[in-house]
Amino acid sequence: MPPFQSTPLNTHPIHTLLRKYPGLFGVPFVLIIVGASFGLQSFTQTRYDLHKQKITQVSKEQELSMSKRRRKIDVREEYFRLSAAADEDWEQVRIPRPKGLPEWGVPPPEPP
């Protein structure tokens, strides 16, 4: 006789059923996950509705501060305007090399 028995003395019928059919453990888990998503749907919908209402609502002060005569903005025009301004202020400056360093950098070491 082996020192430890492979089967316990008091086996519960649920344990034997789960050992036979392990898929039965996953069914309640999946049902809880799906049920919770349907249960939380109303809370998430309320959250998105409040966020949308907050963004679309414009106060009178904000409405008055908006200019009705503002010019239309073209992305390409702004890009070229900013890139032209950056080119005007830029100047290429060469950094002086340390003494003893050749014009084209450090030569590779000679093989032994």
Side-chain angles (χ1 to χ4, degrees):
M1 183 166 165
F4 297 108
Q5 293 181 353
S6 61
T7 57
L9 293 177
N10 298 328
T11 58
H12 201 271
I14 292 176
H15 292 169
T16 56
L17 187 67
L18 284 177
R19 191 172 295 133
K20 260 187 185 177
Y21 306 106
L24 290 177
F25 180 75
V27 171
F29 179 73
V30 170
L31 288 177
I32 288 173
I33 297 297
V34 171
S37 71
F38 281 110
L40 294 174
Q41 181 180 7
S42 62
F43 293 113
T44 55
Q45 187 63 41
T46 305
R47 175 180 170 226
Y48 289 126
D49 289 341
L50 288 175
H51 184 67
K52 182 179 176 185
Q53 180 184 12
K54 178 180 155 185
I55 287 184
T56 56
Q57 185 178 20
V58 177
S59 67
K60 288 288 183 184
E61 296 171 0
Q62 291 173 342
E63 189 176 329
L64 291 175
S65 68
M66 292 182 191
S67 173
K68 298 192 190 314
R69 298 178 301 143
R70 63 178 174 221
R71 68 180 178 98
K72 302 236 177 185
I73 297 175
D74 185 24
V75 175
R76 287 172 281 175
E77 178 184 330
E78 290 296 318
Y79 171 76
F80 290 125
R81 185 178 63 81
L82 290 174
S83 65
D87 288 343
E88 293 172 0
D89 297 337
W90 185 77
E91 182 180 340
Q92 184 175 359
V93 178
R94 184 170 179 155
I95 299 173
R97 296 187 183 274
K99 291 191 187 258
L101 189 66
E103 179 70 21
W104 295 101
V106 179
E110 302 240 353

